């Protein structure tokens, strides 16, 4: 079992910044991709940013130039630095990891519980 624990959400004014963190713990063989999705009320869960084990990044067009994803493989932790936040960034941000739980198993998609980010004046 892998636990993905997020932190860093909250309320921020438009134009402000927040930094999300997600740490993976438990028993697993290897973590491949890590990243963040978000889901606003009434919307589907959308990809925000993904980072591979080799530090290759991918961003949603709506956050390019404002958000930066990074990871510390030694700590099994992924970060999302969010700058120039807009009200439309308001959502529950959910941590994602592609985890190989056992050396002989194929990787699974694991998810955190989510952390609320609210951008409002």
């Amino acid at each position: 079992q892998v636990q993905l624990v997020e932190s860093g959400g909250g309320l921020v004014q438009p134009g402000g910044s927040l930094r999300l963190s997600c740490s993976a713990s438990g028993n697993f063989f290897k973590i491949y991709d890590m990243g963040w999705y978000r889901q606003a009320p009434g919307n589907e869960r959308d990809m925000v940013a993904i980072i591979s084990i080799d530090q290759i990044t991918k961003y949603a067009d709506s956050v390019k130039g404002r958000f930066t994803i990074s990871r510390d493989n030694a700590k099994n932790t992924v970060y999302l630095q969010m700058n120039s936040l807009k009200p439309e960034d308001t959502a529950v941000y959910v941590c994602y990891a592609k985890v190989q739980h056992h050396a002989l198993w194929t990787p699974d998609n694991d998810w955190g519980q989510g952390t609320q980010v609210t951008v409002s004046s």
Side-chain angles (χ1 to χ4, degrees):
Q1 290 284 351
V2 174
Q3 293 78 45
L4 299 175
V5 178
E6 302 108 330
S7 62
L11 173 64
V12 64
Q13 291 186 342
S17 299
L18 281 175
R19 187 188 194 216
L20 305 182
S21 300
C22 172
S23 294
S25 63
N27 295 317
F28 54 88
F29 176 69
K30 189 174 184 179
I31 297 178
Y32 292 89
D33 294 348
M34 298 188 79
W36 296 91
Y37 283 67
R38 67 186 180 186
Q39 187 166 16
N43 291 354
E44 296 183 352
R45 182 177 290 183
D46 295 323
M47 187 275 292
V48 176
I50 298 290
I51 185 166
S52 74
I53 192 171
D54 299 322
Q55 308 289 337
I56 296 171
T57 59
K58 179 180 179 180
Y59 295 93
D61 288 342
S62 60
V63 307
K64 285 181 180 177
R66 300 188 298 122
F67 291 10
T68 302
I69 191 169
S70 60
R71 69 188 280 177
D72 184 333
N73 289 334
K75 296 180 179 180
N76 296 314
T77 298
V78 63
Y79 307 95
L80 185 67
Q81 178 66 43
M82 304 185 293
N83 299 328
S84 302
L85 282 161
K86 305 175 181 180
E88 51 264 43
D89 294 318
T90 296
V92 175
Y93 284 69
V94 183
C95 179
Y96 156 81
K98 183 177 289 289
V99 182
Q100 187 176 8
H101 294 88
H102 187 278
L104 301 180
W105 299 352
T106 57
D108 291 324
N109 295 329
D110 286 345
W111 301 92
Q113 294 294 318
T115 184
Q116 177 70 44
V117 171
T118 302
V119 184
S120 175
S121 55

